[in-house]
Amino acid sequence: MKPLSKHMQDLIEIVEATLRRPRPLNEFEALTLAEIRRIDALPAETTRHTHAPLVVIAALEGLQHTDGQAPEATPWLMLIAAALPLLKDETFRQLCAERGVGRG
C-alpha cells in the first residue's frame, strides 16, 4: 500500500495537469482522489495533513460538473490554483510525519 504522501504527490501532478488543460479525470486520477478520501476516513495513529487535499478534491469534483467550460469552470480553477501551495506544504508535512522527522 502506498503511503498517503505518495497519493498526495500524485494529486499535485493531477492539479498541475488540470490547471494547464482542464479535462475529465481519468480512472487512475479518480482512484487517487478516492484513496485519499478513504485514508482520511480511517482512524489515525499520528497527525495527518489532509485539509488541503480534501479542499482540492472537492474543487476538482466541482470542476468535473462544469465539463471544464468557462465561465462555470473559472471559480473551480481559481480555487484549485489557490489551494495548490497549501497542498504542496501539507504533502511535505505528511512526508516528514511518515518519516518521523522535520515539521510533521
Side-chain angles (χ1 to χ4, degrees):
M1 184 167 88
K2 285 198 290 192
L4 177 57
S5 63
K6 178 58 180 139
H7 291 293
M8 291 168 68
Q9 289 169 354
D10 293 343
L11 182 58
I12 290 170
E13 292 175 13
I14 293 167
V15 166
E16 290 173 341
T18 299
L19 290 173
R20 281 191 298 275
R21 178 177 287 190
R23 62 193 171 32
L25 295 174
N26 64 39
E27 185 177 339
F28 170 77
E29 294 167 336
L31 288 173
T32 298
L33 274 56
E35 186 64 8
I36 292 171
R37 281 190 190 252
R38 185 192 71 75
I39 292 169
D40 182 65
L42 295 173
E45 294 178 12
T46 62
T47 301
R48 280 200 199 119
H49 302 279
T50 54
H51 293 92
L54 293 177
V55 167
V56 168
I57 289 169
L60 284 168
E61 290 171 345
L63 178 65
Q64 296 305 301
H65 293 289
T66 68
D67 297 323
Q69 300 300 312
E72 296 86 12
T74 302
W76 295 114
L77 290 170
M78 289 170 49
L79 179 57
I80 293 166
L84 182 56
L86 295 171
L87 174 59
K88 288 180 177 182
D89 180 65
E90 284 199 336
T91 300
F92 176 73
R93 289 175 182 261
Q94 183 63 36
L95 181 61
C96 289
E98 289 169 1
R99 292 182 179 171
V101 297
R103 300 170 12 190

